Amino acid sequence: MGSSDGPLVVGLDSSTQSCKAIAWSREGRAVAEGRAPLELMKPRPDYVEQEVTDWWRAATVALRQLVGAVDAKRIAGIAISNQRETVALIDGAGEPIGPASLWLDERAAGLVDRFAAEIGRERLHAITGKPIDVTPVVYRLKWLRENEPERLDQANKILDVHGYLTLRLTGTPSASWTSADPFGLFDISRKEWSQPILDHLGIKPSQFPNAVRSGTRVGTVHAAAASATGLAEGTPVIAAGGDGQCAGLGVNAMRDGVVYLNLGTAIVAGIWSREPVVGAFWRTMTSPTGDGYFLEAVQRAGVYFVNWFVDMFAGGRSDPAIFDRLEREAATVPIGSDGLLAGTTLVGCMDPHWDPSARASFIGMHPSHTLGHFYRAGLEAMTLQTARALEEMRSHGLSPAQMVAIGGGANSRLWTKMIADATGIAIHKGHNAEASSLGAAISAAVGVGWFESFSDAADAMTSIAETIEPDPSCRAAWDALSARQAKVFSATQFAWRTGA
């Protein structure tokens, strides 16, 4: 942590499993922080939930830890980065109507195709920017309309984490364009809740909070919230939004040619676009600056697949040296893993097939293959899916020229070098691992007037620590492997569905 005597802004990152409150200086130094865990509930198959009030509990714990380290009077503003595609129903008294359903929840899987057909698949994709997939909130709202309509009609407000926490901080729930659009019922061109989709669901626009551009001041911390959190009453609250877009802002990727690469539990490769380009290889999101859009290629299993493999076949992560050993062994294996191919869609496939029932596989096994081969084959599969998504973006007129990598997987020298070589794009690593919090803090810095623009703020508050250059001599080998690797998904899905 750095130190400073000057004013600070707070990025409150309320993610799936934890809430982090980090105070940032004008130079982008993390000065102090607080953290609190969030628990998942899985009451039945396909249901993933959280207690809505736990979002506030965790935020108050994290913020109290923070203001225990820095004077609350130094905090010039606070903004929230939130887990996306998570929804809560709130009554007229501000109390939750049951638990929230998370982005991991798949209770609506059986109605996704039917609902999309009712609206029109291409129309739904064009309005919302979201390919037809179980993750967006819109399908769970359809499920509620058909299965628990009284809960839906009882809701005074339908909120994500950003909306609920701004309600608790200021007394009024607020959405940003970037927190609203992952719901899958936000018109990303008009920047408003889509009336045709709401009409189809039988939901009133007044049930959603007003959606504003990130960087907009949406209120101030009221007395009760100040008492609960330790923040000073009257502290400005600034709109930020979805954690994925905030992370892209936090690595200064909201500009031409820069790819944000999160090698986390899931893999996200995002690039800024001036226009709302839609395609099967990405979700089209609103930009966290309010200008342009953010195209996100997503693999649901990234580090999740790696950890599963290690736990199942390599003795488990309790061995602190296991990853070093696997990386050393995999580094000696040639491109293509001596014929071993992996399918890493362990928890369903997002781009480009959008199939939540997809399965994972290893194909072409031989007695000579070692754990290093299997480990490398998995990394190759995920690497090449990212590479193909970036190529598809190029075919739509975008020009990915550099990447900024974050997430646990970015600590792997082997994996990041593989991605650089397979794409031909240099990879930069930022100084700050907490990119979502920093992105929210950049929004706060703009909102309180520290900088005239998001560009100025991101330039001042982000920096690069290391660069990994691609090796052009091995690109042909990667391209040949990609042509074979792209066929694994179809072969695997045909086999398990037909018993072939």
Side-chain angles (χ1 to χ4, degrees):
M1 294 291 175
S3 61
S4 171
D5 295 326
L8 306 169
V9 286
V10 172
L12 182 68
D13 179 19
S14 185
S15 61
T16 307
Q17 298 188 73
S18 67
C19 184
K20 292 158 279 189
I22 304 177
W24 300 88
S25 71
R26 189 186 180 98
E27 298 75 33
R29 292 196 307 270
V31 175
E33 70 171 45
R35 295 175 182 254
L38 285 164
E39 299 209 4
L40 303 180
M41 302 183 297
K42 299 180 181 179
R44 64 183 75 175
D46 297 329
Y47 285 53
V48 184
E49 300 176 335
Q50 279 177 336
E51 294 291 354
V52 179
T53 52
D54 277 357
W55 299 339
W56 179 241
R57 176 201 55 77
T60 59
V61 170
L63 287 166
R64 282 204 160 274
Q65 290 177 7
L66 175 71
V67 298
V70 296
D71 187 345
K73 294 179 181 178
R74 291 176 58 192
I75 297 173
I78 179 172
I80 298 161
S81 161
N82 62 277
Q83 58 165 304
R84 299 180 295 183
E85 293 112 355
T86 290
V87 64
L89 304 181
I90 306 298
D91 67 19
E95 297 298 323
I97 307 168
S101 68
L102 271 64
W103 60 276
L104 295 161
D105 192 290
E106 295 187 353
R107 74 186 70 183
L111 58 76
V112 168
D113 286 332
R114 172 166 56 84
F115 177 72
E118 291 170 1
I119 299 287
R121 297 176 70 92
E122 292 184 4
R123 182 187 184 207
L124 187 59
H125 191 177
I127 291 172
T128 68
K130 311 302 174 285
I132 308 308
D133 174 61
V134 72
T135 307
V137 168
V138 65
Y139 302 104
R140 273 167 279 148
L141 295 179
K142 174 66 170 176
W143 184 93
L144 284 167
R145 174 55 66 207
E146 294 187 354
N147 294 275
E148 299 179 10
E150 66 287 346
R151 283 186 64 207
L152 195 55
D153 292 336
Q154 185 185 352
N156 180 61
K157 293 295 179 185
I158 300 171
L159 302 179
D160 65 357
V161 180
H162 189 283
Y164 182 72
L165 291 181
T166 53
L167 170 64
R168 296 301 300 262
L169 285 169
T170 71
T172 302
S174 299
S176 72
W177 297 342
T178 61
S179 73
D181 91 77
F183 268 43
L185 45 76
F186 190 75
D187 188 319
I188 61 171
S189 295
R190 294 176 176 270
K191 305 295 199 308
E192 62 186 29
W193 301 103
S194 171
Q195 191 65 56
I197 300 175
L198 295 182
D199 288 344
H200 196 85
L201 291 167
I203 297 174
K204 299 185 291 291
S206 60
Q207 289 178 275
F208 293 90
N210 188 36
V212 301
R213 180 190 290 264
S214 295
T216 300
R217 178 166 164 163
V218 296
T220 60
V221 175
H222 59 49
S227 177
T229 62
L231 294 170
E233 185 177 354
T235 300
V237 178
I238 312 298
D243 53 9
Q245 293 113 305
C246 280
L249 179 59
V251 297
N252 201 8
M254 297 299 105
R255 49 204 171 106
D256 282 326
V258 182
V259 176
Y260 152 67
L261 180 66
N262 184 0
L263 298 175
T265 302
I267 297 174
V268 177
I271 188 169
W272 183 83
S273 170
R274 194 172 303 279
E275 301 299 328
V277 181
V278 296
F281 277 81
W282 57 80
R283 308 183 298 187
T284 307
M285 319 294 287
T286 53
S287 166
T289 67
D291 296 318
Y293 297 86
F294 196 37
L295 312 186
E296 286 188 353
V298 187
Q299 299 175 62
R300 291 194 81 173
V303 172
Y304 183 92
F305 177 87
V306 174
N307 290 341
W308 168 84
F309 172 80
V310 169
D311 290 341
M312 290 295 293
F313 303 111
R317 286 171 283 165
S318 58
D319 178 356
I322 185 60
F323 285 103
D324 287 341
R325 290 202 302 271
L326 286 171
E327 297 253 323
R328 284 196 302 271
E329 189 172 339
T332 67
V333 176
I335 296 170
S337 299
D338 290 325
L340 182 65
L341 297 173
T344 56
T345 52
L346 188 66
V347 286
C349 176
M350 295 184 78
D351 74 89
H353 304 288
W354 304 96
D355 183 353
S357 65
R359 303 292 180 91
S361 62
F362 285 101
I363 296 175
M365 290 177 278
H366 187 271
S368 64
H369 289 145
T370 66
L371 275 176
H373 284 84
F374 283 87
Y375 183 79
R376 182 183 178 96
L379 297 184
E380 287 179 339
M382 294 183 286
T383 292
L384 289 169
Q385 180 53 41
T386 295
R388 288 190 292 273
L390 295 179
E391 281 302 311
E392 187 70 13
M393 292 174 185
R394 283 194 180 95
S395 74
H396 282 72
L398 298 168
S399 302
Q402 58 180 297
M403 281 187 269
V404 184
I406 65 166
N411 295 320
S412 167
R413 168 67 63 166
L414 172 66
W415 196 2
T416 49
K417 186 64 166 68
M418 290 166 67
I419 296 170
D421 290 346
T423 61
I425 302 173
I427 292 181
H428 306 298
K429 296 183 183 180
H431 278 107
N432 294 306
E434 299 294 351
S436 293
S437 173
L438 179 54
I442 289 170
S443 294
V446 172
V448 300
W450 283 7
F451 302 96
E452 291 187 3
S453 69
F454 277 94
S455 177
D456 290 345
D459 286 345
M461 297 178 72
T462 64
S463 59
I464 297 300
E466 178 186 6
T467 300
I468 299 168
E469 297 289 348
D471 179 359
S473 68
C474 61
R475 183 65 186 277
W478 279 107
D479 288 346
L481 176 59
S482 185
R484 299 194 303 275
Q485 180 68 51
K487 301 174 183 177
V488 169
F489 179 87
S490 296
T492 301
Q493 306 319 302
F494 176 80
W496 87 258
R497 288 195 175 103
T498 64

